[in-house]
Amino acid sequence: MENQGQLAQYIPELAKIDPDKLGIAFLSNENETFGVGDWQTRFSIQSISKVLSLSLAYNLLGENIWERVGVEPSGNAFNSLVQLETDNGIPRNPFINGGAMVICDMLVSHLKKPKSDFLEYVREISSCKEVNFSVATAKSEELVGFRNKALCNFIKSYGNIKNDPDEVLDFYFHMCSIEMSCLELTKTFRFLAFSNFKTFNGDKVLSLSQAKRLNALMQTCGFYDESGEYSFKVGLPGKSGVGGGIIALHPEKYGIAVWSPKLNQKGNSYKGMKFLELFTTETQLSIF
Amino acid sequence: MENQGQLAQYIPELAKIDPDKLGIAFLSNENETFGVGDWQTRFSIQSISKVLSLSLAYNLLGENIWERVGVEPSGNAFNSLVQLETDNGIPRNPFINGGAMVICDMLVSHLKKPKSDFLEYVREISSCKEVNFSVATAKSEELVGFRNKALCNFIKSYGNIKNDPDEVLDFYFHMCSIEMSCLELTKTFRFLAFSNFKTFNGDKVLSLSQAKRLNALMQTCGFYDESGEYSFKVGLPGKSGVGGGIIALHPEKYGIAVWSPKLNQKGNSYKGMKFLELFTTETQLSIF
Amino acid sequence: MENQGQLAQYIPELAKIDPDKLGIAFLSNENETFGVGDWQTRFSIQSISKVLSLSLAYNLLGENIWERVGVEPSGNAFNSLVQLETDNGIPRNPFINGGAMVICDMLVSHLKKPKSDFLEYVREISSCKEVNFSVATAKSEELVGFRNKALCNFIKSYGNIKNDPDEVLDFYFHMCSIEMSCLELTKTFRFLAFSNFKTFNGDKVLSLSQAKRLNALMQTCGFYDESGEYSFKVGLPGKSGVGGGIIALHPEKYGIAVWSPKLNQKGNSYKGMKFLELFTTETQLSIF
Amino acid sequence: MENQGQLAQYIPELAKIDPDKLGIAFLSNENETFGVGDWQTRFSIQSISKVLSLSLAYNLLGENIWERVGVEPSGNAFNSLVQLETDNGIPRNPFINGGAMVICDMLVSHLKKPKSDFLEYVREISSCKEVNFSVATAKSEELVGFRNKALCNFIKSYGNIKNDPDEVLDFYFHMCSIEMSCLELTKTFRFLAFSNFKTFNGDKVLSLSQAKRLNALMQTCGFYDESGEYSFKVGLPGKSGVGGGIIALHPEKYGIAVWSPKLNQKGNSYKGMKFLELFTTETQLSIF
């Protein structure tokens, strides 16, 4: 596999990562795990975290959340403001930045201690008690986050952010700064991969129908404006982050996480995409 | 189920259809068929036909076709010219009108007698020898097709239509005018639903990987700018047409076709969408 | 003055012109004329002609014409389809191609023999009986005019073209193919420059208020998306064409025409713009 | 004249104004003043102030300012973010909000005490020593100014705002909050109306060429996306503000200010526009 792509440059903390890191973890429906390379090294999961905040909001608020955010692919770059202007402040889906901010705004309204309550939730579903924010990454992103600040204030101007934009952004940047290893990622996403998954307390995170819907959303919107290409070549629900991580799921069969920090032009892990394409083509284990 | 929506108004021939028609056909991987209502009445399959022309071009030209048309959801209404301007005449995907025209242009270049060769192909894969164009519908659409004429000339101005736009449009309008019943639709789409499907000659239409890719494309782009909503609620690869038909597939398991002519605001069959949502929710038989 | 810019490439007939042609003609309110260089050589006036068709429609139909075309600068490239989509088929102003086509459509509806009647009108106001279309240029443009064909059919799809698009385009391409010299241009535009101008029959072409309005329109919209720059630097109502001609007026004082075929990136004569900027800066004779 | 339109609603402080106020002031090149109605009552001049900040930046920095802001009409609503995305953070002109913010950023960089230095400048050119900011209006606008906050951070993300966005916005909101009467407005704009104008110190504010350029800019861009309509009907360089004020100039002849707080749909004073149209039509004193 060629060694193309480049590190996310716009978040200073991410630009410092060793570009040659590569990890792959596999988790079967029998709870068997396999891994190669840096599969137990933590990295910044970034946008992958948007699935986690969304799932918590979905758990807490049910179908009401779809009144404030759509479920359609955006067809534009992930930080575009254009569509918001046409759509009166309703972001196209919860995985573009604006949509994730609206979800964060819901959690800020609903949780008592938003940041620590969210962290608690992630630790609960992942069974990984040491998972944490990287405050350095959150701060690093906040310092250069003028585009995100613009986005949040823009949505606020349409009334679709209820709290103070600065507070929402603080939650948003922390949420995106969560660090996990590939192994931890596969464990975290069991609640979407396996319908018999229950937390330590014996609770289901989402109903079967809700889980299927989140999987469908990842399929159509999980890879920014490369979601079609990803569906086309990989054929599994998944989500990527600019930290170079990707999680992909074959419902009821397996979960797979890849980490390689160099990104292609669309902001997705160059090697991660290539690997998953090869994997599903060779194994013929896609959902299609 | 409420009786909402309205007939496609912009094609005079379609506006004449009895709005209360309703048919459903089901085809299992054991070749069992079931049906209710008007499941054996032919109707204009319209955009569903775009999957057929695409599959023929894919069969003939292989992966080269993706140089002239993308695989990303458009995020805009199905006849929008805006994105073409940004993307220099490369349509976002082969299911929006512009993309389907580029595919038609390939077939016009490649086939000796484009219209009859295409019809032959459809009859071959459907095993339905009487399937035919509706010349009346094709003419009806041509007479009012100023938007499509604009679209085709616009793409031509970027050089991504090689033939005379009028010739391409003539092929396009005929292709869209094909009439099938729900039963015939399920039979026609066996080549995408079942990997062991072979034509009468013993040929496979597409390789396994190609078929998976078309399924993925239908999943992300098959319902205009309601594709996300459809994936979210139905969770099956599928394609709709403004004639009120929908075909949906559960790969290796079954195919299902619905016809009800009244359309919702996005141009998809109102009852068809509702039925498929209920069906996959009740049976829990989605791909996710 | 540097010799920058390049010939209009998209119209084959215009790409053949000697790029070093340069002519300037001046006409005072005392009917004195001066000229230098190729000021008596005819060239294709192209979009300058849009002022003439507009003035005839304004003369014939009065303020009604503004129901079908706006008076705002477009802020986009001169052949953009995007704004038409937002504005439901009402072109922003009569000097962008779409707007000029709507005006042509009015004339096709209103004139008995559209092309020859229009030519008669131009000969009347210019007092130049030999002014004519270049059929070769009209045909040349028609052969490659896919973008204009798209535009006309697109507006037709909104109902703002009443006649057959092909007929409207034929008129449009002929109208744009009119050939005049710089001298003839200055004479032709007396009806806008001097309020006491009357035709041979003693008629005024437009009322004083109408003439002022056309001058204002040229000021704000006459140079495609360089209209602001032109107003800013030249400060006179004017109109340019891709044949390299520019007419500019100082109401009640003088008219000036420049011809130099090499165009800048915005499609306006490179040297023509430079000359007019120098001229109004040195003489301090702008309207501001 | 009908009593249409409505008060600017989005700035709470402006929504409190008596909607029936109406003032008109006229200043001749002989320094004669006339006035009717509330011509000596101060009101919030809002965007009219953008001409003043622009003139100060032009005075201080010369033609360099045009590297960071354009001179073309925007063709879009005055607070649109869309074009900025296409144009990489270079606002179309200095009279749309984004462009005015870039000019404010230049002044924040260049002036020692930006707010008081700017106020000093306005007092100097207006000869009105009591002219002042309305801190209440500035604060009122700041509290609801999410769209402007979005805009400023968005431009900052392209690097075309050099200072802290909050500091630039504070200057911007104060600048827009300046209060003047119609009479004071006409005096303030003498520096653009009359080429022989000098400040108390005997200085010219702008060179003749610079003043003509600002007049041209007001002509093409001074009335948001109604600039073409205004030029068309009024035919004088001018600038409006959402406080309901309009200043219009006939270079070397006169200045005229109108104030009526109810706005038309484009955000310009309903009666102010009507009055100026009547005035220039009746007097035939436009620049065209």
Side-chain angles (χ1 to χ4, degrees):
Chain A
M1 205 183 306
E2 290 173 86
N3 188 13
Q4 293 188 14
Q6 56 174 29
L7 295 178
Q9 294 301 327
Y10 66 96
I11 306 174
E13 206 68 16
L14 296 186
K16 297 177 190 167
I17 301 298
D18 174 359
D20 292 328
K21 290 288 181 187
L22 177 64
I24 299 169
F26 180 96
L27 175 72
S28 79
N29 56 3
E30 306 282 333
N31 213 25
E32 296 153 318
T33 57
F34 307 90
V36 294
D38 305 298
W39 69 307
Q40 292 179 303
T41 307
R42 293 207 175 101
F43 59 91
S44 192
I45 69 170
Q46 292 290 318
S47 293
I48 299 175
S49 201
K50 293 171 182 171
V51 186
L52 306 179
S53 50
L54 173 61
S55 67
L56 179 53
Y58 207 6
N59 172 299
L60 294 170
L61 303 167
E63 305 301 325
N64 298 317
I65 63 176
W66 309 116
E67 290 166 17
R68 291 175 56 192
V69 65
V71 296
E72 294 299 328
S74 70
N76 273 328
F78 63 101
N79 45 17
S80 171
L81 290 160
V82 176
Q83 258 172 348
L84 274 172
E85 193 154 355
T86 318
D87 295 346
N88 289 309
I90 307 289
R92 274 304 179 90
N93 67 63
F95 296 149
I96 53 174
N97 290 9
M101 285 173 196
V102 169
I103 296 293
C104 286
D105 183 59
M106 295 174 191
L107 294 178
V108 168
S109 293
H110 205 84
L111 300 176
K112 279 190 188 149
K113 302 181 198 161
K115 285 187 283 189
S116 58
D117 289 357
F118 174 68
L119 197 56
E120 204 49 50
Y121 166 75
V122 176
R123 286 170 174 168
E124 172 79 16
I125 63 170
S126 65
S127 315
C128 302
K129 295 302 171 192
E130 320 85 49
V131 160
N132 214 332
F133 301 128
S134 161
V135 177
T137 302
K139 292 292 169 214
S140 168
E141 199 167 352
E142 195 152 12
L143 278 174
V144 297
F146 300 109
R147 182 69 73 106
N148 281 321
K149 208 163 181 178
L151 197 48
C152 197
N153 278 282
F154 193 53
I155 300 172
K156 175 83 180 177
S157 78
Y158 286 105
N160 199 19
I161 291 284
K162 310 298 180 186
N163 298 285
D164 175 11
D166 287 336
E167 196 183 351
V168 175
L169 285 166
D170 182 59
F171 182 83
Y172 174 82
F173 289 131
H174 276 83
M175 176 200 80
C176 289
S177 79
I178 281 185
E179 296 186 334
M180 286 189 185
S181 67
C182 288
L183 175 60
E184 288 165 340
L185 261 184
T186 57
K187 286 174 152 190
T188 306
F189 276 80
R190 287 172 301 178
F191 79 102
L192 286 174
F194 309 124
S195 57
N196 62 359
F197 174 79
K198 289 177 183 160
T199 64
F200 188 73
N201 298 328
D203 297 328
K204 289 183 75 74
V205 179
L206 298 174
S207 73
L208 184 58
S209 166
Q210 288 178 321
K212 283 174 182 296
R213 289 177 165 205
L214 286 210
N215 281 332
L217 255 182
M218 287 198 288
Q219 186 76 53
T220 50
C221 313
F223 287 72
Y224 314 123
D225 49 344
E226 198 177 30
S227 296
E229 185 89 11
Y230 168 80
S231 268
F232 187 78
K233 291 192 174 157
V234 176
L236 293 177
K239 185 76 199 75
S240 74
V242 292
I246 299 179
I247 178 77
L249 310 173
H250 196 316
E252 311 303 348
K253 301 215 168 119
Y254 64 85
I256 189 166
V258 195
W259 174 46
S260 169
K262 287 165 89 173
L263 308 179
N264 66 20
Q265 289 192 316
K266 301 286 189 178
N268 297 310
S269 171
Y270 177 82
K271 284 189 179 167
M273 291 283 278
K274 287 282 181 199
F275 170 78
L276 287 170
E277 181 182 351
L278 269 172
F279 181 81
T280 57
T281 304
E282 293 301 313
T283 62
Q284 303 196 339
L285 285 174
S286 91
I287 61 171
F288 293 113
Chain B
M1 203 183 306
E2 291 173 85
N3 188 13
Q4 294 189 12
Q6 57 175 25
L7 295 179
Q9 294 300 330
Y10 66 95
I11 305 175
E13 206 67 18
L14 295 186
K16 299 177 190 166
I17 301 298
D18 174 358
D20 292 327
K21 291 287 180 188
L22 177 64
I24 300 169
F26 181 95
L27 175 72
S28 80
N29 57 2
E30 306 283 333
N31 213 26
E32 298 153 315
T33 56
F34 307 90
V36 294
D38 305 299
W39 69 307
Q40 290 179 303
T41 306
R42 292 207 176 103
F43 59 91
S44 191
I45 69 171
Q46 290 292 316
S47 293
I48 299 175
S49 201
K50 293 172 182 171
V51 186
L52 306 179
S53 50
L54 172 62
S55 67
L56 179 53
Y58 207 6
N59 172 299
L60 294 170
L61 302 167
E63 305 300 325
N64 299 318
I65 64 177
W66 309 116
E67 290 166 16
R68 290 176 56 192
V69 63
V71 296
E72 294 299 329
S74 70
N76 274 328
F78 63 102
N79 46 15
S80 171
L81 291 159
V82 176
Q83 256 171 351
L84 275 172
E85 193 154 355
T86 318
D87 295 346
N88 288 309
I90 307 290
R92 273 306 180 89
N93 66 63
F95 296 149
I96 52 174
N97 290 9
M101 286 173 195
V102 169
I103 297 294
C104 286
D105 183 60
M106 295 175 192
L107 293 178
V108 168
S109 294
H110 205 83
L111 299 175
K112 279 191 189 150
K113 302 180 199 160
K115 284 187 283 190
S116 58
D117 289 358
F118 174 67
L119 198 57
E120 206 47 52
Y121 165 76
V122 176
R123 287 170 174 170
E124 172 80 16
I125 62 170
S126 65
S127 317
C128 303
K129 294 303 171 193
E130 320 84 51
V131 160
N132 214 333
F133 300 128
S134 160
V135 177
T137 303
K139 291 294 169 212
S140 169
E141 199 168 353
E142 195 151 12
L143 278 174
V144 298
F146 301 110
R147 183 70 74 106
N148 281 321
K149 208 164 180 178
L151 197 49
C152 196
N153 277 282
F154 193 54
I155 300 173
K156 175 83 180 176
S157 78
Y158 287 105
N160 198 20
I161 293 284
K162 310 297 180 188
N163 298 285
D164 175 10
D166 287 335
E167 196 182 352
V168 174
L169 285 166
D170 181 60
F171 181 84
Y172 174 82
F173 289 131
H174 277 83
M175 176 199 80
C176 288
S177 78
I178 280 185
E179 296 186 332
M180 287 188 185
S181 67
C182 288
L183 175 60
E184 288 165 339
L185 261 185
T186 57
K187 285 175 153 188
T188 305
F189 276 80
R190 287 171 302 177
F191 80 101
L192 286 175
F194 309 124
S195 57
N196 63 359
F197 173 78
K198 289 178 184 162
T199 64
F200 188 74
N201 298 327
D203 297 327
K204 287 182 77 72
V205 179
L206 298 174
S207 72
L208 183 58
S209 165
Q210 287 177 322
K212 283 174 182 296
R213 288 176 166 206
L214 285 210
N215 281 333
L217 254 181
M218 287 198 288
Q219 185 77 54
T220 50
C221 313
F223 286 72
Y224 313 123
D225 49 345
E226 198 177 30
S227 297
E229 186 88 12
Y230 169 80
S231 268
F232 187 76
K233 291 193 173 156
V234 177
L236 293 177
K239 185 76 199 76
S240 74
V242 291
I246 300 179
I247 178 78
L249 310 173
H250 195 316
E252 311 303 348
K253 301 212 168 121
Y254 63 85
I256 189 165
V258 195
W259 173 46
S260 169
K262 287 166 88 175
L263 308 179
N264 65 20
Q265 289 193 316
K266 301 286 190 179
N268 298 309
S269 171
Y270 177 81
K271 284 190 180 167
M273 292 283 279
K274 287 282 181 200
F275 170 77
L276 288 171
E277 181 181 353
L278 269 172
F279 182 81
T280 56
T281 305
E282 293 301 315
T283 62
Q284 303 198 342
L285 285 174
S286 91
I287 60 172
F288 293 112
Chain C
M1 205 184 306
E2 290 174 85
N3 187 13
Q4 292 189 15
Q6 57 175 26
L7 294 179
Q9 294 299 328
Y10 67 94
I11 305 175
E13 206 68 17
L14 295 186
K16 297 177 189 165
I17 301 297
D18 174 358
D20 292 327
K21 291 287 181 186
L22 178 63
I24 299 169
F26 182 96
L27 175 72
S28 80
N29 56 3
E30 307 282 334
N31 213 24
E32 298 153 316
T33 56
F34 308 90
V36 294
D38 305 299
W39 69 307
Q40 291 178 304
T41 306
R42 292 207 176 102
F43 60 91
S44 191
I45 69 170
Q46 291 291 317
S47 293
I48 298 174
S49 200
K50 293 171 182 171
V51 186
L52 306 180
S53 50
L54 172 62
S55 67
L56 180 53
Y58 208 5
N59 172 299
L60 294 170
L61 303 166
E63 305 300 325
N64 298 318
I65 64 178
W66 310 116
E67 289 166 16
R68 291 175 56 192
V69 64
V71 296
E72 294 299 328
S74 71
N76 273 329
F78 63 102
N79 45 16
S80 171
L81 290 159
V82 176
Q83 257 173 349
L84 273 173
E85 194 154 355
T86 318
D87 295 346
N88 289 308
I90 308 290
R92 274 306 180 86
N93 67 63
F95 296 148
I96 53 174
N97 290 9
M101 284 173 197
V102 169
I103 296 294
C104 285
D105 184 59
M106 295 175 191
L107 293 178
V108 168
S109 294
H110 205 83
L111 300 176
K112 278 191 189 152
K113 301 182 200 161
K115 284 187 284 190
S116 58
D117 289 357
F118 174 67
L119 199 56
E120 205 48 50
Y121 165 75
V122 176
R123 286 171 175 169
E124 172 80 15
I125 62 169
S126 65
S127 317
C128 304
K129 296 302 171 193
E130 319 85 49
V131 160
N132 214 332
F133 301 128
S134 161
V135 178
T137 302
K139 291 293 169 213
S140 168
E141 199 167 352
E142 196 152 12
L143 278 174
V144 298
F146 300 109
R147 183 70 73 107
N148 282 322
K149 208 164 179 177
L151 197 48
C152 196
N153 278 282
F154 193 54
I155 300 172
K156 175 83 180 176
S157 78
Y158 287 105
N160 198 19
I161 292 284
K162 310 298 180 188
N163 298 284
D164 176 9
D166 288 335
E167 196 183 352
V168 174
L169 285 165
D170 181 60
F171 181 83
Y172 174 82
F173 289 132
H174 276 83
M175 176 200 79
C176 288
S177 79
I178 281 186
E179 296 186 333
M180 286 188 185
S181 66
C182 288
L183 174 60
E184 287 164 340
L185 261 184
T186 57
K187 286 174 151 189
T188 305
F189 277 79
R190 287 171 301 177
F191 79 103
L192 285 175
F194 308 124
S195 56
N196 62 358
F197 173 78
K198 289 178 184 160
T199 65
F200 187 73
N201 298 328
D203 297 328
K204 287 182 76 72
V205 179
L206 298 174
S207 73
L208 182 59
S209 165
Q210 287 177 322
K212 282 173 182 297
R213 288 176 166 206
L214 286 211
N215 281 333
L217 256 181
M218 288 199 288
Q219 185 78 52
T220 50
C221 312
F223 287 72
Y224 314 124
D225 49 343
E226 198 177 29
S227 296
E229 186 89 12
Y230 168 80
S231 268
F232 187 76
K233 290 192 174 157
V234 177
L236 293 177
K239 185 74 199 78
S240 74
V242 291
I246 300 178
I247 178 77
L249 309 174
H250 196 316
E252 312 302 348
K253 301 215 168 119
Y254 64 84
I256 189 165
V258 194
W259 175 45
S260 169
K262 288 165 89 174
L263 308 178
N264 66 19
Q265 289 192 316
K266 301 286 189 179
N268 298 309
S269 171
Y270 178 81
K271 283 189 180 169
M273 291 283 278
K274 286 282 182 199
F275 170 78
L276 287 170
E277 181 182 352
L278 268 172
F279 181 80
T280 56
T281 305
E282 293 302 315
T283 61
Q284 302 197 342
L285 285 175
S286 92
I287 60 171
F288 294 112
Chain D
M1 204 183 305
E2 291 174 85
N3 188 12
Q4 292 189 15
Q6 56 174 27
L7 294 179
Q9 294 300 329
Y10 66 95
I11 306 175
E13 205 68 19
L14 295 186
K16 298 179 190 166
I17 301 298
D18 174 359
D20 292 327
K21 290 287 182 187
L22 177 64
I24 300 169
F26 181 95
L27 175 72
S28 78
N29 57 2
E30 305 282 333
N31 213 25
E32 296 154 315
T33 57
F34 307 91
V36 293
D38 304 299
W39 69 306
Q40 290 179 304
T41 306
R42 291 207 175 103
F43 59 92
S44 192
I45 69 170
Q46 291 292 318
S47 293
I48 299 175
S49 201
K50 293 171 182 170
V51 186
L52 306 179
S53 50
L54 173 61
S55 67
L56 179 54
Y58 208 5
N59 171 299
L60 294 170
L61 302 166
E63 305 300 325
N64 297 318
I65 64 177
W66 309 116
E67 290 166 17
R68 290 175 58 191
V69 64
V71 296
E72 294 299 329
S74 71
N76 273 327
F78 63 102
N79 45 16
S80 171
L81 290 159
V82 176
Q83 256 172 351
L84 274 173
E85 193 154 353
T86 319
D87 296 346
N88 289 309
I90 308 290
R92 273 306 179 89
N93 66 63
F95 295 148
I96 52 173
N97 290 8
M101 285 172 196
V102 169
I103 296 294
C104 286
D105 183 59
M106 294 175 192
L107 293 178
V108 168
S109 292
H110 206 83
L111 299 175
K112 278 189 189 152
K113 302 181 198 160
K115 285 188 283 190
S116 56
D117 289 357
F118 173 67
L119 197 57
E120 205 48 52
Y121 166 75
V122 175
R123 287 170 174 169
E124 171 81 15
I125 62 169
S126 65
S127 316
C128 303
K129 295 303 171 194
E130 319 85 48
V131 160
N132 214 332
F133 301 128
S134 160
V135 177
T137 303
K139 291 293 170 213
S140 169
E141 199 168 352
E142 196 150 12
L143 278 174
V144 297
F146 301 110
R147 182 70 72 105
N148 281 320
K149 208 163 180 177
L151 197 49
C152 196
N153 278 282
F154 193 53
I155 300 173
K156 176 83 181 176
S157 78
Y158 286 106
N160 198 18
I161 293 283
K162 310 298 179 186
N163 298 284
D164 176 10
D166 288 335
E167 196 183 351
V168 174
L169 284 165
D170 181 60
F171 181 83
Y172 174 81
F173 289 131
H174 276 82
M175 176 200 80
C176 289
S177 78
I178 280 185
E179 296 186 333
M180 286 188 186
S181 67
C182 288
L183 174 61
E184 287 165 340
L185 261 184
T186 57
K187 285 175 154 189
T188 305
F189 277 79
R190 288 171 301 177
F191 80 101
L192 285 176
F194 309 124
S195 57
N196 63 359
F197 174 79
K198 289 179 183 160
T199 63
F200 188 73
N201 298 327
D203 297 328
K204 288 181 77 70
V205 179
L206 298 173
S207 73
L208 182 59
S209 165
Q210 287 177 321
K212 281 173 183 298
R213 289 176 164 206
L214 285 210
N215 281 333
L217 254 181
M218 287 199 288
Q219 184 78 53
T220 50
C221 312
F223 287 72
Y224 313 123
D225 50 344
E226 198 176 28
S227 297
E229 186 89 12
Y230 168 79
S231 269
F232 186 76
K233 291 193 174 157
V234 177
L236 294 177
K239 186 78 199 74
S240 74
V242 291
I246 299 179
I247 177 78
L249 310 173
H250 195 317
E252 311 303 347
K253 300 216 168 117
Y254 63 85
I256 188 165
V258 194
W259 173 46
S260 169
K262 288 166 88 174
L263 308 179
N264 66 19
Q265 289 193 318
K266 301 286 188 178
N268 297 310
S269 172
Y270 177 80
K271 284 191 181 168
M273 291 284 279
K274 286 282 180 199
F275 170 77
L276 287 171
E277 181 182 351
L278 269 173
F279 181 81
T280 56
T281 305
E282 293 301 314
T283 61
Q284 303 197 341
L285 285 173
S286 90
I287 61 171
F288 293 113

